Amino acid sequence: MSLTLKTKIKPTALAIGLAALLPLSASAADADTEARIQQLEQQVRTLLEKLEAQNTALSQQLNQQQQQINEKVVPAKGAVIATTNGRSLSFKSVDDAYSFQVGGRLQADAAFYDADDNNFGDGTAIRRLFLDVRGTFAKDWNYRFQYDFARPGSSDSSARGIRDAWIQYTGFGAKRITVGSFKEPFGLEHLTSGLYTTFNERGVTDLFSPDRHLGVGLSSGGAHWSAAVGVFGERPEGDVASEGDEGWDLTGRFSYAPLAEPGNVVHLGVAGRYHKPEDSTNELSFSSRPESNITGVRLIDTGVVPGVDDFQALGLEAAGIFGPFSVQAEYVATRLNRGGALDDVDLSAWYAYASFFLTGESRAYKADEGIIDRTRVARPVGSGGIGAWEVALRYSNADLSDANIIGGELENLTLGLNWYVLDNLRFSANYIKVLDVDRPGSIYDGQDVDTLALRAQIDF
Amino acid sequence: MSLTLKTKIKPTALAIGLAALLPLSASAADADTEARIQQLEQQVRTLLEKLEAQNTALSQQLNQQQQQINEKVVPAKGAVIATTNGRSLSFKSVDDAYSFQVGGRLQADAAFYDADDNNFGDGTAIRRLFLDVRGTFAKDWNYRFQYDFARPGSSDSSARGIRDAWIQYTGFGAKRITVGSFKEPFGLEHLTSGLYTTFNERGVTDLFSPDRHLGVGLSSGGAHWSAAVGVFGERPEGDVASEGDEGWDLTGRFSYAPLAEPGNVVHLGVAGRYHKPEDSTNELSFSSRPESNITGVRLIDTGVVPGVDDFQALGLEAAGIFGPFSVQAEYVATRLNRGGALDDVDLSAWYAYASFFLTGESRAYKADEGIIDRTRVARPVGSGGIGAWEVALRYSNADLSDANIIGGELENLTLGLNWYVLDNLRFSANYIKVLDVDRPGSIYDGQDVDTLALRAQIDF
Amino acid sequence: MSLTLKTKIKPTALAIGLAALLPLSASAADADTEARIQQLEQQVRTLLEKLEAQNTALSQQLNQQQQQINEKVVPAKGAVIATTNGRSLSFKSVDDAYSFQVGGRLQADAAFYDADDNNFGDGTAIRRLFLDVRGTFAKDWNYRFQYDFARPGSSDSSARGIRDAWIQYTGFGAKRITVGSFKEPFGLEHLTSGLYTTFNERGVTDLFSPDRHLGVGLSSGGAHWSAAVGVFGERPEGDVASEGDEGWDLTGRFSYAPLAEPGNVVHLGVAGRYHKPEDSTNELSFSSRPESNITGVRLIDTGVVPGVDDFQALGLEAAGIFGPFSVQAEYVATRLNRGGALDDVDLSAWYAYASFFLTGESRAYKADEGIIDRTRVARPVGSGGIGAWEVALRYSNADLSDANIIGGELENLTLGLNWYVLDNLRFSANYIKVLDVDRPGSIYDGQDVDTLALRAQIDF
């Protein structure tokens, strides 16, 4: 490709010949008729020639400009247009069949703990550092690769960095087929991006969330509903299974929104999950930190539950958005079916919260996926506003004790304050009060923990 | 930079004055000669003035448009043009001296094993998740950074994520000098991208492949040949060697293609490698899974071969493409020279396969590098076609037993089916039958293993 | 968006009618006056009509071109312009409020050691493989994400890949507030990019450098000064602290440059750091390799210094650039305050070097940050030049022995040669002579080590 810039055109050249003709009209009145007519004929002839010459020059010039427009503006086959929404960068081919987008997110955290026992560990952490690329091919095929660079450094070796890594076909209209690593369809807050949760950490029901796994899913949705189902393996990444067949999940979810207008939403959802553990171990475990992620302390923890044949989970969701006011609640009940003489184990958790935008914004909702979307700041900082300010209060409750498993019961109260500086820049402070830990035999039994959790978050 | 869009031009203004002159010609016939001549003179004068005025207006307007074209279309020094081939996004400076490209690939796998022994482990895995950037500086300098995000999670700690990471000089015409981490020049399938291999996993000769290492290489090629040689260290990444000098390789390859037209190719190749192990250990080991990567089981395995002074490998390659029909075979013979009273060890492997495109496509070949290239789908899905369909059959044989080393012998038969939906989207199913494992003393001796391996693959 | 390219305009059409009028002027001289006047009137009428028609056609054509310019050049709301400086790719919105840039760097190393003891380990390594993205939102907010892919593979498990990961507010003019992971403000060479250091590895004072941590900082600068202060946690990434509160730092730096013109710089700097170790361990350790990073050998090493209450460091910097000649020196003194009966420990290090560009370039300086910037090559290779050639000599001295801590003393001399092929492509050779190791009781005491360290480096 060679876009040499030729500015050869000199439009002032057109004016030269015409100026020479003007003096003749001033002295014409006194000449005899014959001379005057001859002069007129000569002038008309010259006028014609000039008009002709002007025409030729203009034609050339216009042609040249048109050629420049054609060549330069659409410089090559496959031209791509770059645009931004002020946050992220998008590329689209001129035929709309191809698109590409690069994005990322950063959550930088600090937390301070006040507890009877002093091993909670004040500190700082990068909670998430995502980069992701996504795009479209041949109009109907989407893909997304997303990696969390904050994960490989985790001391929890089972947590790895690959997040979304999928291929999706959308050629059937509203129906989507997805293959690869993606979130299993279970739980309103689990499926909502970690960027858009009201509190720094998801509610305590998240301890049962399946997260992302390699699988195949079918999903669809409309103006008032969403539905999704998928089959998933248990291993998200390139691990080598040394023994036994991998566990697997069958997970499905349906949501219905009788009201689904901006600022006026009622959401109801139900989800179910059947999990078969890795066949050689038949083990599962569940635990939870105090809804804060800096500390490594798990206030409630079943430890390894042996002999699990399979595991079922049922999730119920409800949410409402009424202008600046919003409520949300989830309940998850699970059953671990165990073989032989071992008792089945029933565990459960729920949370409920209310939030209010002091600055009048509303939480956003995507009905066709049944999830919460990005809050749009009405008056961003730097555009004459003070951003959006949101206060919220959450009660959480988890019960990990049943049969001979004494994982413990946990009750939390969280007060949250969010300052959305821009649509994609937010500072949050959460005060988390552990109301009760009922876990006989553990040093955390009856522990009184107060946490101040701070977060700075940006995404693009 | 400031591209304010000024649409000040109102070309219709030109037409106003001229329309006022037209009525005079209708009533001119009855006037006396003098008056008519005067009127004519006046009209010609007016015409001249109008033409002059039009000229001035046009000049301004054309200048303004030219300025807009100049300023906006090439808005700044260093303008870059974005284009796509429908798969990936490319950026090029207008002087062609600079280019940049971002790419990636995803291979999502699942495999199911049927074996006498039950510890093969059905499961799923992300086989490869690459992101890479590459580009050109100052016309003659190329670079490429490529990372496999599926690797850091590998339980094999010696496998890390950095793949290509090199700087290349191309200022000598067809000759290229490369410095950094890149593939050692050995083996047709080893050098062919993992995106373009006919079967999900490379043939069993790949157990001897040197992979990528840090080194310096010189390569060249023409319409019918390629040649490459390089010296490489043993460590691909930022490891700290705790003791002893690193091992190193001297590797070279030459390929010749008497036929090298699209759909009509005969390829012959030979490669040699001299390897010096890390001096403090002098150890090497070779092993192979059943040409499927989900299981961790290595059906044949030399274990650590001690006392290796050096290691030599010879590779022979042949391939033919005849329209939709294709054949390919490789043979690798190695010798481990051992010091003292230890016997030298000779190991070898080979494979041969045939493939056929039911939909008529041909495998593509790059003669100047002596490798297989991307298959172009004649009638992609979504453009009225059913994509490309390919069937293939491979026989593989490896012998890792010699002297007192009993690594075992392996024979596999693989039936492959590939569906290329688009040029860059492919679904594959491989059925792999282990014909024989001859490994006395191992639990895998005589093991009968059948594998169904599935893959979804996309790249951009 | 749909940029269909319509080339409907045929400017040659304008010339058709005018040519038909020309013959009449040739035969007009012999006709009678009346006929000639009538003909003239007719001609003027025709001329008017033609001029009118031309006007209409031109107006249409100009309007059409203007529309094409408007629609195509700024094709959509949020259009983004891509440019390159020949190295990296930048995207900017037309209103300058948004920008995005992707970059990276590769340093490929090899080193050869000649020592009395033979366990230094010749070898190769990718020293750094960075990718980074950075950008601007809403004009006043910057961010940067930077990851070193060469780090996760390090055997030193405390070194992780996240480098810069911050959000910055610049709405207060020269003052910047930064939140996230970034370099603590301490040390001229520590703060200078690893791409621009004169020698392959930073001088020995770097063993005291705090590197990057999660924190909050305030910085500012002018034509002759820079100032920065910050509070930082101790943990750069998503680790889980299992016990005890994280350590933290309070760090500040001021630099003053009485001379700060291109090629004529005098820089003076002072920095201080207060460090509180993790409260449960109260341990610190300091060590140094022989200013070469391939080997794992640490010639001097305090081992774990127990019982440290807190740690203070003072850094002094001086540098001068006088045309092609440059000098630079840093000194760091530290005190480890220890509780109980344990003696306080005073450790220190310093280096001084001179460099000279044989090809006449000058090192570049950024006064408002008090750091060294990229050297611009006057005559790059490929543009008729031989690049820039620089020779340099450094003396380094570290003393890690005090009280009952016998970390050892080290003296190094380094001779460096840099070939800058392009502004962003450099090959370097360092010869490092260990003059003395005084570390009683260690096998490295009195060790005589000569190192040849090679590097190829590119960035974009």
Side-chain angles (χ1 to χ4, degrees), chain C residues 5 7 25 44 56 74 145 158 184 206-207 222-223 228 251 285 312 327 355 367 374 389 419 431:
Chain C
L5 189 64
T7 48
S25 355
V44 166
T56 307
V74 183
F145 295 3
S158 70
E184 299 193 16
D206 199 47
L207 75 91
T251 310
S285 70
Q312 291 143 30
V327 290
S355 99
R374 186 187 298 274
W389 291 81
W419 176 32
Y431 172 74

Side-chain angles (χ1 to χ4, degrees), chain A residues 1-3 5-7 9-12 14-15 18-19 21-22 24-26 28-29 33 36-37 39-40 43-44 47 50-51 54 58 61-62 65-66 68-69 72-73 75-81 91 93 98 100 133 136-138 140-147 149 152 160 162 164-167 169 179-181 214 232-246 279, chain B residues 33-34 36-38 40-42 44-45 47-49 51-52 54-56 58-63 65-67 69-70 73-74 81-89 91-96 102 104-106 108-109 113 118-127 129-131 147 149-150 152-156 289 293-297 381-382 419 421-422 424-425 427 456-460:
Chain A
M1 188 186 324
S2 159
L3 292 192
L5 189 63
K6 298 170 212 150
T7 49
I9 301 173
K10 302 171 219 119
T12 48
L14 288 172
L18 297 173
L21 290 173
L22 283 176
L24 98 166
S25 354
T33 303
R36 287 168 62 197
I37 290 179
Q39 201 174 22
L40 273 169
Q43 287 170 4
V44 166
L47 258 173
K50 295 293 167 194
L51 200 53
Q54 194 200 38
L58 279 170
Q61 211 169 329
L62 286 165
Q65 286 198 358
Q66 187 63 46
Q68 286 184 15
I69 291 171
K72 289 182 188 170
V73 173
K77 203 171 158 293
V80 164
I81 309 299
F91 300 93
S93 65
Y98 172 87
F100 181 77
V133 295
T136 306
F137 296 122
D140 296 331
W141 297 90
N142 297 326
Y143 66 92
R144 184 167 194 171
F145 296 3
Q146 188 184 56
Y147 196 82
F149 290 93
R160 301 270 164 53
I162 294 180
D164 280 351
W166 46 254
I167 307 168
Y169 182 67
V179 178
S181 167
L214 259 185
F232 300 86
E234 199 180 42
R235 188 176 48 179
E237 292 183 37
D239 261 343
V240 172
S242 54
E243 48 176 29
D245 293 342
E246 215 174 272
D279 69 357
Chain B
T33 301
E34 175 58 25
R36 287 170 64 197
I37 289 178
Q38 280 180 15
L40 272 169
E41 285 167 351
Q42 177 59 34
V44 165
R45 218 176 297 129
L47 257 174
L48 279 169
E49 286 163 4
L51 200 52
E52 181 89 345
Q54 194 200 37
N55 252 330
T56 306
L58 278 171
S59 293
Q60 283 175 359
Q61 211 169 330
L62 285 165
N63 270 335
Q65 285 199 359
Q66 186 63 44
Q67 203 181 333
I69 291 171
N70 295 351
V73 173
V74 182
I81 309 298
T83 57
T84 184
N85 55 6
R87 293 188 304 274
S88 55
L89 189 60
F91 300 94
K92 244 185 194 176
S93 65
V94 292
D95 64 359
D96 276 344
V102 58
R105 69 183 69 168
L106 169 65
D109 282 14
Y113 301 93
N118 207 15
N119 60 359
F120 281 78
D122 295 356
T124 60
I126 292 187
R127 179 67 175 89
L129 181 68
F130 280 29
L131 274 187
Y147 196 83
F149 291 92
S154 169
S155 66
D156 178 358
R289 305 180 200 189
N293 226 57
I294 301 281
T295 182
V297 168
V381 174
W419 177 32
V421 178
L422 306 170
N424 62 330
L425 176 62
F427 296 93
Q457 168 181 313
I458 201 164
D459 76 281
F460 62 89

Side-chain angles (χ1 to χ4, degrees), chain C residues 195-207:
Chain C
L195 290 168
Y196 309 151
T197 56
T198 301
F199 299 89
N200 288 4
E201 299 298 333
R202 292 186 172 94
V204 77
T205 53
D206 199 47
L207 75 91

Side-chain angles (χ1 to χ4, degrees), chain A residues 187-192 196-199 202-203 205 253 267 316-322 325-331 350-355 363-365 370-373 390 393-395:
Chain A
L188 171 58
E189 206 167 43
H190 170 245
L191 292 169
T192 293
Y196 309 151
T197 56
T198 300
F199 300 89
R202 292 186 173 94
T205 53
R253 176 176 180 258
H267 162 95
L316 300 176
E317 319 160 5
I321 301 169
F322 312 102
F325 184 69
S326 169
V327 290
Q328 183 173 316
E330 290 190 76
Y331 169 74
W350 66 277
Y351 74 84
Y353 74 73
S355 98
R363 293 175 77 206
Y365 179 71
I371 56 173
I372 298 298
D373 203 359
E390 182 186 24
L393 189 69
R394 177 173 68 191
Y395 174 83

Side-chain angles (χ1 to χ4, degrees), chain A residues 300-315:
Chain A
I300 51 174
D301 192 342
T302 61
V304 168
V305 181
V308 179
D309 284 343
D310 57 50
F311 160 82
Q312 291 142 29
L314 171 74

